[in-house]
C-alpha cells in the first residue's frame, strides 16, 4: 500500500526546485499531489477536418506537411513555418525559436497537431501546436488535464509529475469506502477513480471518477457533522430551564404582535430550553424578520430560570443597538443588561467583570471582548451569537465553555438555500423565520449605469429634503484594502465638499476606531447626519427607520446575498424606501445579477440564484460561512450526490455511531484526518 503522507520529493522527476514549486500549490505529500485535481480538460482525442476549424477553437487535426519547414530570422526570433494540408484544406503551423524542429517533419507523412486556430487574412494558423507522429499518443489522441499552476511550473511539467505519481500509486491505494457501499451506489473503485480523474480516456470515465470522489468527500463531511451532533445528543447533559419562566410574560407586553413564524420559532426554542439536552439551534431569518425579539424572549426565560445569558454581536455598533433593544424590553422586569466591548474603560470593565462573576449582571452583550479569558460568568445558561457567519465554530466553542453546557442559539440573516442549509448545518437544529412583520413595504430597487449619476444625485437630494436619510455604500475588496480605502475616502470627500455640500455628510470605514464608528453611527441614528457614506461595516443589523434610500456604488463587486443584506438596511420604518444599485461593467453575468435584485425581495430565492451564478466556491467562501472547502465536490452541481451522501451517512452513523467497526475504519481515518476529533468548520 502507498504511504500517502510520504513527501512529494520521492516522486520520480521531482527535485528540490520542483518541490518548492509544488509547495507553493500546497502540495507537500504524495496524497496532496494525487488529490490536486485538474481544473479543466482538453479533449485532444477527436480530430477535425481543417475546413471545419473555426478561429479561436482549440482543435486536433490530422495533416501532412506540403513541403519542408521554412525558417525566417528577424532580430532575435527565428520563426519556423510548416504548411499543412488534409483532404479538406490547408493550415500553417508556426513556432518561435524552436530551431530543433527543423528536420522533424517529412513531407507526405501524417502527423497530428493540437493547438488554437487563428485566422490570418483567410489563412488558418496554429501557433506552437503540440504534435505526435502517426500512431503516437504522447501529446495527442487523448484527454489532457489542465491544472491550476504557479509561476515557473508549466502544464507539461506538472502533467509529467502527475503521470509519474500515477505510475507509482495506481493499484496500491487502499480503498476508503466499504465494498458494500461501492456496490450499492455502483461507484468506481478508488485506484481507478484517482487515475481517471487525472487521465480519463473518455469523458464518461471522467464523470464516473469525479462522482466517486465527490461522493466520498461529501460523505466524509456528513459523517463528521453527524458524529458531532450525536456527541451532543448522547454525552452531554445541559440545563433544564424552568417551566415557570414563561415567554408569554414578555410576549404580552410587546409593542407589536409577533408574527406566526416568530411564535413558531419561539415554541421550538422554548421546548429545547426546557429539555435537558443542550440546545444547539440555528435561527435563520431574512433581514428585518425580527430575530432580535426572539433572542430577547429566550434570554428572558434563561434569566427567570436563574441563569445568565451572553449575547455575542459581530460589531460594536450592533452590540450597542442590541443593548438598547434588550433594555427597552427587559428593564421593566428588573433584568440587568450590560455591554462589554474593547472600547470600555479599564475601570468600567473591572466593574463589569466583578458584577458578572457575582451574578449582579443577568445579560452580558458584547463583541469578541466577551470571549476573552478573564470574562467569568457566575452561571452562564444561554449563549446567543448574532450573525453567525462572522464567528467561527472555534469562537462559539470558547464562549460556550464559559458555562456548563449552556444552550446555544445561533442567529443568521444570511439566507442559505433551504436544502443546503439543512445539510450543511448538520450539527445544528434549524428554525426558520420565513415571514416578515406585516406592513413592511417592499424596497423598490433599481439598477443603473454610471451615466445616470446626476439623476441619482438629484433623487438623493429630494429624499433628504423630504426629511429622510441616505446610505451610500462603497465596496472594499480585501486584497487591495489600502487602495480601496483611499477611493472610499476620496469619494466621500467629493460628496461632502462638492456634490452634496449643502447637506450633512459623514463617512465610516472599518479602519476607524470603534469609538469613532459608534459616534458617527449614533449621530446618524439621531438624525444629525443626512448622508452616511461607508464601506460594508453597516452591512449587518443596523436599524435606522428614517433611512429610506440605499445607494450601492460598484454594485457589481458585491455578491447578491450581500446586496440583499445592504438593501435590508432601509425599509425599516414607515417610509417608502428605495435601493439604487450603481454598476460599471455590464457583463452578461452582472446584468443577470442586477435583474434578480430588482425583481425579488425574497432572500432565499436570491441566495439560490447567487449560488447558481457564482458557484459554491465563492458563495461558501470559508471566511463567510465557515464551511470547509472541497477539493472536488461542488455544492450546487452536486446537490443530488450530497443528498445521497447525507442519507448514507445517516445510516452508517445509526449502525456505527463512533465509526468503530472494521469496515468503517478507513472512513473513520478520513474523518479524523480532515476534521480532527472535533469538527472545526
Ligand atoms: P433582524 O431579524 O434583522 O435582526 P430585528 O430583530 O432587528 O430584525 O427587527 C427589525 C425591526 O422590526 C425592529 O425594529 C423590531 O422591533 C421590529 N419587529 C420585530 N418583530 C416585529 C413584529 N412581529 N411586528 C412588528 N415589528 C417587529
Ligand atoms: Mg439582527
Amino acid at each position: 500500500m502507498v504511504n500517502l503522507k510520504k513527501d512529494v520529493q520521492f516522486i520520480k522527476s521531482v527535485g528540490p526546485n520542483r518541490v518548492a514549486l509544488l509547495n507553493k500549490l500546497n502540495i507537500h505529500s504524495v496524497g496532496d499531489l494525487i488529490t490536486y485535481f485538474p481544473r479543466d480538460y482538453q479533449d485532444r482525442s477527436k480530430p477535425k477536418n481543417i475546413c471545419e476549424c473555426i478561429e479561436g477553437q482549440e482543435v486536433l487535426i490530422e495533416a501532412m506537411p506540403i513541403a519542408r519547414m521554412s525558417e525566417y530570422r528577424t532580430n532575435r526570433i527565428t520563426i519556423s513555418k510548416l504548411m499543412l494540408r488534409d483532404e479538406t484544406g490547408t493550415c500553417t503551423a508556426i513556432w518561435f525559436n524552436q530551431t530543433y524542429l527543423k528536420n522533424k517533419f517529412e513531407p507526405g507523412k501524417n502527423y497530428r497537431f493540437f493547438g488554437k486556430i487563428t485566422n490570418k487574412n483567410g489563412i488558418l494558423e496554429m501557433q506552437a501546436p503540440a504534435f505526435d507522429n502517426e500512431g503516437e499518443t504522447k501529446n495527442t489522441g487523448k484527454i489532457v488535464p489542465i491544472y491550476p499552476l504557479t509561476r515557473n511550473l508549466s502544464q507539461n511539467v506538472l502533467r509529467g509529475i502527475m503521470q509519474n505519481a500515477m505510475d507509482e500509486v495506481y493499484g496500491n491505494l487502499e480503498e476508503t469506502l466499504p465494498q458494500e457501499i461501492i456496490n450499492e451506489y455502483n461507484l468506481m473503485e478508488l485506484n481507478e477513480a484517482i487515475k481517471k480523474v487525472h487521465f480519463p480516456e473518455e469523458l464518461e470515465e471522467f464523470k464516473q471518477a469525479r462522482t466517486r470522489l465527490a461522493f466520498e468527500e461529501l460523505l466524509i463531511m456528513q459523517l463528521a457533522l453527524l458524529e458531532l451532533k450525536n456527541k451532543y445528543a448522547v454525552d452531554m447533559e445541559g440545563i433544564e430551564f424552568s417551566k415557570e419562566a414563561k415567554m408569554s410574560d414578555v410576549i404580552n407586553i410587546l409593542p407589536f404582535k409577533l408574527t406566526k413564524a416568530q411564535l413558531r420559532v419561539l415554541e421550538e426554542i422554548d421546548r429545547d430550553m426546557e429539555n435537558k439536552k443542550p440546545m444547539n439551534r440555528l435561527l435563520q431569518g431574512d433581514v428585518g424578520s425580527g430575530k432580535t425579539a426572539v433572542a430577547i424572549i429566550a434570554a428572558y426565560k434563561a434569566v427567570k430560570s436563574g441563569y445568565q445569558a451572553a449575547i455575542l454581536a459581530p460589531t460594536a455598533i450592533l452590540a450597542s443597538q442590541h443593548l438598547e433593544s434588550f433594555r427597552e424590553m427587559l428593564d421593566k422586569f428588573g433584568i440587568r443588561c450590560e455591554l462589554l466591548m474593547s472600547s470600555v474603560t479599564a475601570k468600567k470593565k473591572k466593574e463589569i467583570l466583578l458584577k458578572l462573576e457575582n451574578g449582579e449582571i443577568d445579560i452580558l452583550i458584547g463583541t469578541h471582548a466577551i470571549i476573552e479569558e478573564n470574562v467569568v460568568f457566575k452561571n452562564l445558561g444561554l449563549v446567543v451569537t448574532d450573525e453567525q457567519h462572522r464567528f467561527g465554530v472555534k469562537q462559539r466553542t470558547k464562549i460556550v465553555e464559559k458555562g456548563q453546557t449552556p444552550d446555544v442559539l445561533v442567529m443568521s440573516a444570511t439566507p442559505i438555500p433551504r436544502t443546503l442549509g439543512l445539510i450543511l448545518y448538520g450539527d445544528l437544529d434549524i428554525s426558520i423565520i420565513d415571514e416578515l412583520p406585516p406592513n413592511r413595504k417592499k424596497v423598490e430597487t433599481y439598477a443603473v449605469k454610471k451615466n445616470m449619476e446626476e439623476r441619482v444625485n438629484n433623487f438623493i437630494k429630494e429624499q433628504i429634503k423630504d426629511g429622510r436619510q441616505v446610505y451610500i455604500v462603497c465596496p472594499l475588496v480585501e486584497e487591495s484594502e489600502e487602495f480601496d480605502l483611499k477611493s472610499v475616502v476620496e469619494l466621500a470627500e467629493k460628496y461632502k465638499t462638492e456634490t452634496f455640500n449643502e447637506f450633512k455628510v459623514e463617512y465610516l470605514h472599518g479602519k476607524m476606531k470603534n469609538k469613532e464608528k459608534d459616534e458617527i453611527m449614533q449621530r446618524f441614528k439621531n438624525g444629525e447626519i443626512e448622508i452616511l457614506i461607508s464601506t460594508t461595516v453597516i452591512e449587518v443589523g443596523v436599524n435606522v427607520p428614517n433611512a429610506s434610500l440605499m445607494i450601492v456604488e460598484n454594485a457589481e463587486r458585491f455578491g447578491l446575498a450581500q446586496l440583499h443584506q445592504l438593501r435590508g438596511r432601509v425599509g425599516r420604518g414607515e417610509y417608502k424606501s428605495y435601493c439604487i444599485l450603481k454598476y460599471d461593467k455590464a457583463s452578461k453575468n452582472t446584468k443577470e445579477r442586477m435583474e434578480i435584485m430588482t425583481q425579488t425581495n425574497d432572500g432565499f430565492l436570491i441566495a439560490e440564484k447567487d449560488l447558481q451564478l457564482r458557484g459554491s466556491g465563492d458563495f461558501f467562501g470559508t471566511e463567510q460561512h465557515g464551511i470547509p472547502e472541497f477539493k472536488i465536490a461542488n455544492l450546487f452541481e452536486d446537490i443530488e450526490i450530497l443528498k445521497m451522501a447525507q442519507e448514507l451517512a445517516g445510516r452508517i452513523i445509526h449502525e456505527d455511531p463512533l465509526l468503530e467497526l472494521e469496515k468503517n475504519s478507513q472512513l473513520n481515518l478520513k474523518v479524523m484526518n480532515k476534521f480532527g476529533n472535533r469538527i472545526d468548520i
Side-chain angles (χ1 to χ4, degrees):
M1 289 294 128
V2 202
N3 174 9
L4 292 175
K5 297 211 164 126
K6 198 164 76 170
D7 196 288
V8 72
Q9 65 170 318
F10 293 109
I11 295 294
K12 209 171 97 192
S13 78
V14 180
N17 281 342
R18 288 182 177 176
V19 168
L21 289 171
L22 291 173
N23 286 174
K24 272 196 199 154
L25 298 174
N26 238 342
I27 299 172
H28 301 274
S29 65
V30 174
D32 295 339
L33 180 64
I34 63 172
T35 54
Y36 191 77
F37 298 121
R39 66 168 164 76
D40 203 356
Y41 299 83
Q42 253 174 10
D43 190 346
R44 300 185 182 176
S45 68
K46 294 176 193 67
K48 269 199 167 155
N49 289 324
I50 290 179
C51 71
E52 295 171 305
C53 293
I54 296 171
E55 162 132 45
Q57 277 180 339
E58 292 190 309
V59 295
L60 179 74
I61 58 171
E62 275 177 353
M64 57 177 63
I66 297 171
R68 294 221 153 261
M69 188 177 264
S70 54
E71 275 187 6
Y72 305 83
R73 197 174 277 275
T74 66
N75 283 339
R76 258 175 269 154
I77 305 174
T78 306
I79 302 171
S80 313
K81 269 196 179 186
L82 192 64
M83 292 289 291
L84 303 167
R85 71 168 173 82
D86 68 4
E87 281 162 9
T88 69
T90 59
C91 174
T92 315
I94 74 169
W95 287 267
F96 301 102
N97 289 337
Q98 311 274 314
T99 45
Y100 68 94
L101 289 175
K102 190 164 182 188
N103 295 314
K104 183 90 197 163
F105 303 99
E106 285 179 40
K109 270 197 175 177
N110 255 320
Y111 299 86
R112 292 202 285 198
F113 299 88
F114 179 86
K116 192 170 180 174
I117 291 282
T118 50
N119 188 335
K120 292 266 158 78
N121 303 323
I123 297 167
L124 296 182
E125 192 177 285
M126 254 188 200
Q127 278 188 16
F131 60 87
D132 271 325
N133 295 330
E134 186 162 25
E136 258 184 15
T137 55
K138 222 169 127 227
N139 300 310
T140 65
K142 57 189 173 189
I143 296 170
V144 174
I146 312 279
Y147 297 97
L149 295 172
T150 182
R151 249 181 92 122
N152 297 329
L153 184 65
S154 70
Q155 287 294 353
N156 268 337
V157 168
L158 185 52
R159 232 174 258 146
I161 295 173
M162 203 61 89
Q163 188 61 60
N164 291 339
M166 283 310 132
D167 291 346
E168 188 166 331
V169 304
Y170 179 69
N172 301 319
L173 293 168
E174 191 163 359
E175 181 54 65
T176 25
L177 298 175
Q179 192 57 43
E180 59 190 56
I181 293 177
I182 294 189
N183 296 345
E184 182 184 341
Y185 291 89
N186 200 9
L187 295 171
M188 201 181 244
E189 187 263 328
L190 180 64
N191 280 286
E192 212 56 29
I194 286 287
K195 181 172 173 184
K196 297 300 186 192
V197 83
H198 290 286
F199 301 108
E201 275 154 40
E202 303 279 340
L203 238 42
E204 192 45 42
E205 264 181 0
F206 153 73
K207 275 189 202 148
Q208 284 178 31
R210 193 189 164 283
T211 299
R212 140 81 208 220
L213 296 169
F215 185 90
E216 177 174 327
E217 197 168 32
L218 293 168
L219 179 67
I220 300 295
M221 175 190 71
Q222 287 299 312
L223 285 172
L225 286 169
L226 286 182
E227 225 186 330
L228 182 73
K229 193 171 186 172
N230 232 22
K231 264 186 207 146
Y232 280 131
V234 184
D235 302 352
M236 295 209 208
E237 256 189 34
I239 301 163
E240 272 178 75
F241 292 91
S242 166
K243 286 193 167 42
E244 304 308 313
K246 289 201 169 56
M247 291 185 167
S248 55
D249 295 346
V250 189
I251 295 174
N252 288 334
I253 61 146
L254 288 176
F256 45 75
K257 218 171 127 229
L258 290 180
T259 60
K260 271 206 222 80
Q262 281 171 314
L263 287 170
R264 187 188 64 235
V265 161
L266 276 168
E267 246 171 64
E268 290 164 354
I269 293 171
D270 203 20
R271 212 178 311 135
D272 277 4
M273 288 182 76
E274 287 177 9
N275 193 317
K276 193 187 283 169
K277 188 186 141 202
M279 169 165 80
N280 264 294
R281 189 168 281 280
L282 173 70
L283 175 58
Q284 260 199 319
D286 214 340
V287 273
S289 61
K291 294 182 293 294
T292 314
V294 170
I296 293 173
I297 295 164
Y300 169 85
K301 185 174 178 89
V303 173
K304 280 293 156 185
S305 305
Y307 292 90
Q308 289 168 304
I311 318 294
L312 212 54
T315 63
I317 295 168
L318 270 178
S320 321
Q321 190 176 289
H322 278 331
L323 180 75
E324 221 171 278
S325 314
F326 271 71
R327 281 195 171 151
E328 204 176 297
M329 288 199 206
L330 298 181
D331 268 356
K332 41 183 114 41
F333 295 99
I335 291 175
R336 297 153 299 182
C337 303
E338 266 302 345
L339 188 62
L340 182 66
M341 307 190 291
S342 44
S343 58
V344 302
T345 60
K347 184 164 162 255
K348 174 84 180 164
K349 187 170 175 188
K350 209 169 149 199
E351 186 193 316
I352 290 177
L353 292 183
L354 198 68
K355 281 185 169 172
L356 191 67
E357 208 166 347
N358 292 337
E360 288 167 55
I361 290 173
D362 301 307
I363 300 177
L364 186 66
I365 298 166
T367 53
H368 290 82
I370 295 190
I371 302 174
E372 281 166 29
E373 245 161 63
N374 58 355
V375 179
V376 181
F377 289 80
K378 183 170 179 222
N379 57 351
L380 179 61
L382 175 71
V383 173
V384 180
T385 67
D386 192 8
E387 310 300 346
Q388 182 266 341
H389 60 282
R390 297 278 172 115
F391 293 103
V393 168
K394 252 194 203 141
Q395 286 165 319
R396 227 199 294 156
T397 313
K398 256 191 178 165
I399 176 86
V400 165
E401 279 164 1
K402 291 183 183 292
Q404 286 208 327
T405 53
D407 277 9
V408 177
L409 184 65
V410 174
M411 303 201 289
S412 172
T414 313
I416 287 176
R418 259 160 242 263
T419 40
L420 284 188
L422 291 171
I423 292 164
L424 290 169
Y425 291 102
D427 66 324
L428 301 172
D429 296 310
I430 299 188
S431 294
I432 299 178
I433 308 185
D434 51 4
E435 179 187 1
L436 293 181
N439 310 327
R440 260 310 134 70
K441 289 179 207 76
K442 186 168 174 271
V443 178
E444 223 166 279
T445 305
Y446 301 94
V448 303
K449 283 213 220 167
K450 271 272 185 313
N451 58 8
M452 299 274 281
E453 187 132 66
E454 202 169 319
R455 280 180 67 181
V456 173
N457 290 346
N458 286 335
F459 188 60
I460 293 175
K461 291 175 188 170
E462 274 169 36
Q463 285 289 305
I464 299 175
K465 282 177 185 151
D466 281 348
R468 302 288 78 75
Q469 287 162 284
V470 178
Y471 291 106
I472 301 179
V473 172
C474 310
L476 192 72
V477 182
E478 240 162 272
E479 304 100 70
S480 56
E481 208 168 308
E482 292 303 322
F483 172 78
D484 282 326
L485 193 54
K486 192 163 151 261
S487 66
V488 172
V489 173
E490 266 168 22
L491 184 73
E493 282 301 326
K494 181 170 162 250
Y495 280 163
K496 211 171 157 170
T497 56
E498 289 172 41
T499 326
F500 302 113
N501 59 7
E502 76 229 71
F503 301 114
K504 285 168 275 177
V505 182
E506 276 301 343
Y507 62 88
L508 194 65
H509 58 75
K511 283 273 163 72
M512 287 165 108
K513 293 212 175 70
N514 283 341
K515 205 171 150 215
E516 254 179 300
K517 280 193 279 191
D518 286 354
E519 214 176 274
I520 289 178
M521 207 56 224
Q522 204 55 51
R523 279 170 53 213
F524 187 65
K525 270 186 138 177
N526 298 345
E528 293 158 32
I529 294 170
E530 288 159 324
I531 301 180
L532 181 67
I533 303 170
S534 85
T535 56
T536 50
V537 285
I538 55 147
E539 180 185 342
V540 277
V542 177
N543 202 15
V544 182
N546 190 47
S548 64
L549 176 57
M550 165 65 65
I551 309 281
V552 183
E553 304 273 347
N554 292 101
E556 75 278 0
R557 287 169 69 179
F558 291 92
L560 292 186
Q562 213 178 2
L563 287 176
H564 182 64
Q565 290 269 334
L566 287 170
R567 176 166 63 184
R569 298 304 109 218
V570 296
R572 305 197 132 224
E574 57 198 284
Y575 309 105
K576 171 131 199 59
S577 297
Y578 306 86
C579 173
I580 298 180
L581 306 171
K582 289 164 78 173
Y583 67 96
D584 229 356
K585 286 181 224 90
S587 70
K588 183 163 163 275
N589 189 283
T590 299
K591 277 196 188 133
E592 237 175 289
R593 283 149 40 88
M594 295 301 127
E595 212 157 279
I596 293 162
M597 289 305 298
T598 57
Q599 279 168 2
T600 180
N601 267 277
D602 179 339
F604 282 101
L605 190 68
I606 288 170
E608 201 100 38
K609 291 284 182 190
D610 202 15
L611 185 59
Q612 204 173 350
L613 289 172
R614 287 203 294 169
S616 59
D618 279 337
F619 189 86
F620 292 108
T622 336
E623 200 190 343
Q624 270 262 323
H625 291 269
I627 309 293
E629 291 206 28
F630 295 105
K631 285 202 157 174
I632 199 158
N634 172 310
L635 289 176
F636 192 72
E637 284 165 17
D638 297 330
I639 193 88
E640 288 310 315
I641 300 178
L642 183 52
K643 281 181 190 159
M644 277 194 287
Q646 187 190 32
E647 186 269 335
L648 173 62
R651 274 192 284 144
I652 294 175
I653 290 286
H654 183 74
E655 183 194 35
D656 182 13
L658 298 170
L659 298 178
E660 290 165 324
L661 294 179
E662 179 54 33
K663 65 176 177 182
N664 294 330
S665 63
Q666 282 294 318
L667 279 178
N668 190 34
L669 207 63
K670 279 241 158 183
V671 172
M672 298 293 259
N673 274 347
K674 179 132 190 174
F675 297 103
N677 54 5
R678 143 151 244 154
I679 195 166
D680 191 32
I681 57 171

